[in-house]
Amino acid sequence: VADQLYDTMNICSVVLIFFLSFFNGTASYTASGKASFYADRMQGHRTSSGERYDKTLFTAAHATLPFNTKVQVTNLKNGKSVVVKINDRMARSRHHVIDVSRAAAVELGMVRDGTATVRLTEVKEEQPEQQELPVVVSKAAPVLKK
């Protein structure tokens, strides 16, 4: 009976580890809503992160995401998307979820309309995998002929 209980516990442990490997708590941020873009007059002004706004870079303002977070912004009307770096803050709004740079707005095809309905998805930086230790190769002893 003790052996059966031990085997059952081992199987349960393996199953639990298997399921936990799928639910490791690294859920990415996603949101949908309206996007707008910075006016050209903001060129050169300091952002909340301290960087100067450059309309030719792919940057954006968001209400809560940490600075340097990368977000893929997809225009739901035309399917165009771009990855931007959060480097500024915007007021929390029921109407807008992100404010993108002019360069990002051009890529998204939203300059003419001024706004676009978008989907935001956080882009996780891939952690470099740990390099495996090299296989130790040793020379075989020479075979002596008799």
Side-chain angles (χ1 to χ4, degrees), residues 26 89 107 112:
T26 58
R89 286 282 169 252
E107 286 291 316
R112 182 175 179 185

Side-chain angles (χ1 to χ4, degrees), residues 71-86:
V71 179
Q72 181 176 14
V73 183
T74 303
N75 184 335
L76 298 178
K77 182 178 179 182
N78 61 21
K80 294 181 178 182
S81 72
V82 66
V83 175
V84 296
K85 178 182 83 169
I86 303 299

Side-chain angles (χ1 to χ4, degrees), residues 38 42 44-54 57-69 84-90 99:
Y38 284 82
M42 299 305 293
H45 287 231
R46 288 225 183 258
T47 64
S48 299
S49 68
E51 297 176 24
R52 293 214 179 262
Y53 170 65
D54 183 343
L57 301 178
F58 295 108
T59 58
H62 190 274
T64 59
L65 287 174
F67 294 137
N68 297 318
T69 300
V84 296
K85 178 182 83 169
I86 303 299
N87 73 341
D88 203 4
R89 286 282 169 252
M90 60 183 274
D99 198 13

Side-chain angles (χ1 to χ4, degrees), residues 25-43:
T26 58
S28 292
Y29 168 84
T30 59
S32 294
K34 289 281 187 188
S36 55
F37 66 95
Y38 284 82
D40 286 343
R41 64 180 157 68
M42 299 305 293
Q43 177 68 22

